[in-house]
Amino acid sequence: MDFNYTEEQLAVQEAAREFAEHELLPGVIERDEKEMFPTEQVRKMGEMGFLGMMVSPEYGGGGMDTISYVLAMAEISKIDASCSVVMSVNNSLVCWGLEKYGTEEQKQKYLVPLAKGEIIGAFCLSEPEAGSDATSQRTTAEDKGDHYLINGTKNWITNGNTASVHIVFAQTDKEKRHHGINAFIIEKGLPGFVVGKKEKKLGIRGSDTHSLMFTDVKVPKENRIGEDGFGFSLAMGVLNGGRVGIASQALGIAEGAFERALKYSKERKAFGVEISKHQAIQFKLTDMATAIDASKLLVLRAAKLKDEGKNFAKEGAMAKLFASQTAMDVTSEAIQIHGGYGYVQEYHVERMYRDAKITQIYEGTSEIQKIVISRELLR
Ligand code: CAA
């Protein structure tokens, strides 16, 4: 495995780092406290090309590889995980699936503005009674000849209110179980499509998470993605890639907390010396740095396999499983190193600790990652 980044990958990483420090850091505490969606910041991310990084330039994207994407995701996540989840969903779950499986018309109409960041997208799989158990879709899509009628409720949808385009999964033929599920492109504002309440969350409080209600929503047949019954396969394929993105988000959160803890440990004095001179702190920093490096290697391996067109489901799940646990451990220890200061807003690490938790839940809980990994091991 080549551990050197290309010049282009390094340039993308640097651009993301500078953007995060100059555009995202100011106001990050206020956005979290007031649960403010980062409208202006997301608009700028679109202009910078961060919302359609891997989409081919033919469709308005950056044509970059997955390594560049995970490097940028980690840099943005070091500062503001509420922004990086918007980036992750748009890139991995919406654009990537549309480019891979959409028709030329769907790509021209939806992918191009999504990749340019002119609009953003949402991925609507979870339901009140179908989170981990995603094959149990209760939302229905009744085939009416030239259109489908969609009825049901989706839960915990990232970009739920902000998205203009929603990829919605629904059951067309219950008898066929998951082979009867379809994926549809549904535009916001269609009659019968109602955005429900905004969730009040532990972390990533700047992102907008909503339930969505569909009552007899008429969706033209040309808005179905792929063949009849392809929806669940699409969801799984897209989520494999998404999990690499969330793994890099977790990595970035951990790196951000570590950098702050390391700096603080060299400044803060206790018992007459900088606390970094105490072995209790040195051992914490050591454990944090080691877990971060291991997470990074897992993330890069999964990204590389994806770029090579190889199967990366197991490796992506391993990266997410490990990096999300690392994010939890490292942010907790970062607070511990900061002591009382770590427990208050101004030092950032308490927000990172809250933000880290979701990386063990969305795009497949840690328990689901273990199912994916063990099934691949035993195949
Ligand atoms: N890659 C490709 N295909 C996969 C797969 C993977 N990782 N995991 C399962 N599949 C396929 C199986 O091969 C099977 O296909 P066939 O029948 O054609 O062979 C099909 O999916 C169903 O699989 P199972 O029979 O194993 O069904 P199951 O119910 O036992 O397990 C599951 C399915 C793996 C648990 C699946 O439901 C799952 O991944 N659940 C988690 C859902 C999830 O990640 N949700 C995230 C929501 S989106 C989100 O969080 C976005 C956000 O806000 C940021």
Side-chain angles (χ1 to χ4, degrees):
M1 192 168 174
D2 182 2
F3 287 95
N4 296 311
Y5 299 131
T6 64
E7 271 181 32
E8 193 192 350
Q9 288 162 349
L10 286 171
V12 171
Q13 184 184 40
E14 184 57 28
R17 183 177 300 145
E18 278 197 13
F19 176 80
E21 274 165 15
H22 293 117
E23 303 287 346
L24 303 183
L25 186 58
V28 65
I29 292 175
E30 190 190 6
R31 291 194 298 275
D32 170 69
E33 183 178 346
K34 298 188 175 156
E35 302 178 49
M36 285 158 60
F37 184 80
T39 308
E40 188 55 20
Q41 290 73 16
V42 169
R43 189 187 62 72
K44 287 185 182 160
M45 277 164 66
E47 280 175 7
M48 292 282 294
F50 290 133
L51 297 183
M53 291 184 67
M54 294 172 289
V55 175
S56 133
E58 191 191 341
Y59 297 112
M64 292 174 207
D65 59 10
T66 313
I67 303 258
S68 302
Y69 169 59
V70 297
L71 291 176
M73 269 293 295
E75 292 303 325
I76 303 284
S77 306
K78 270 187 198 174
I79 307 283
D80 190 346
S82 292
C83 283
S84 67
V85 69
V86 179
M87 177 175 166
S88 161
V89 168
N90 208 68
N91 276 284
S92 310
L93 299 187
V94 178
C95 288
W96 191 72
L98 272 177
E99 182 163 27
K100 189 152 182 184
Y101 302 110
T103 62
E104 186 56 29
E105 291 72 33
Q106 290 170 348
K107 289 181 196 175
Q108 293 299 342
K109 189 168 175 190
Y110 300 110
L111 179 60
V112 172
L114 281 164
K116 288 182 177 167
E118 293 166 356
I119 58 171
I120 61 170
F123 182 84
C124 314
L125 178 68
S126 301
E127 299 188 350
E129 292 172 89
S132 291
D133 185 10
T135 60
S136 297
Q137 294 285 302
R138 281 156 177 83
T139 298
T140 54
E142 211 183 321
D143 190 340
K144 292 285 189 186
D146 64 338
H147 67 274
Y148 286 89
L149 270 191
I150 313 287
N151 281 285
T153 302
K154 295 288 169 182
N155 256 29
W156 311 295
I157 303 304
T158 303
N159 302 339
N161 192 35
T162 325
S164 306
V165 169
H166 298 254
I167 310 293
V168 179
F169 297 85
Q171 183 66 258
T172 298
D173 188 342
K174 217 172 165 214
E175 301 280 292
K176 293 187 184 159
R177 292 188 62 251
H178 59 278
H179 293 294
I181 293 172
N182 277 309
F184 301 95
I185 305 166
I186 302 190
E187 291 179 36
K188 189 179 179 185
L190 282 186
F193 177 3
V194 173
V195 177
K197 72 173 172 68
K198 182 174 171 173
E199 303 291 352
K200 293 186 81 67
K201 308 191 296 287
L202 173 73
I204 55 161
R205 289 156 59 99
S207 71
D208 70 323
T209 310
H210 289 258
S211 49
L212 307 175
M213 275 75 78
F214 301 89
T215 309
D216 287 340
V217 177
K218 203 171 157 180
V219 178
K221 211 148 216 184
E222 62 263 25
N223 279 29
R224 189 184 74 209
I225 310 174
E227 293 298 307
D228 187 22
F230 180 65
F232 196 74
S233 222
L234 180 139
M236 291 297 106
V238 161
L239 277 167
N240 283 336
R243 288 164 185 165
V244 183
I246 298 302
S248 63
Q249 180 186 46
L251 170 66
I253 295 171
E255 287 179 323
F258 175 76
E259 284 176 11
R260 286 182 182 278
L262 183 68
K263 183 164 176 287
Y264 181 83
S265 74
K266 293 190 215 163
E267 291 163 2
R268 172 74 174 170
K269 287 193 173 155
F271 305 102
V273 290
E274 292 80 24
I275 59 170
S276 61
K277 302 237 161 68
H278 296 299
Q279 201 174 49
I281 301 296
Q282 291 168 356
F283 281 8
K284 283 188 193 303
L285 292 169
T286 302
D287 289 345
M288 291 155 87
T290 306
I292 287 172
D293 268 14
S295 300
K296 193 182 289 177
L297 290 172
L298 285 170
V299 169
L300 290 172
R301 179 180 67 164
K304 190 163 192 294
L305 287 171
K306 180 168 176 283
D307 284 336
E308 288 170 352
K310 296 183 180 149
N311 186 354
F312 63 95
K314 173 170 68 72
E315 290 77 6
M318 284 177 166
K320 182 176 183 294
L321 177 67
F322 194 82
S324 60
Q325 184 61 51
T326 298
M328 288 303 295
D329 296 343
V330 168
T331 53
S332 174
E333 287 293 62
I335 294 178
Q336 199 67 17
I337 290 171
H338 281 79
Y341 291 106
Y343 204 65
V344 296
Q345 269 185 337
E346 295 91 299
Y347 285 77
H348 294 269
V349 286
E350 64 84 29
R351 183 186 72 258
M352 295 169 167
Y353 177 69
R354 289 185 286 103
D355 287 349
K357 184 62 199 170
I358 192 62
T359 64
Q360 293 188 309
I361 298 173
Y362 58 24
E363 302 205 20
T365 60
S366 293
E367 291 73 17
I368 290 294
Q369 306 313 317
K370 289 182 185 178
I371 290 179
V372 173
I373 296 163
S374 58
R375 283 185 184 170
E376 292 281 333
L377 290 176
L378 297 167
R379 193 183 281 279

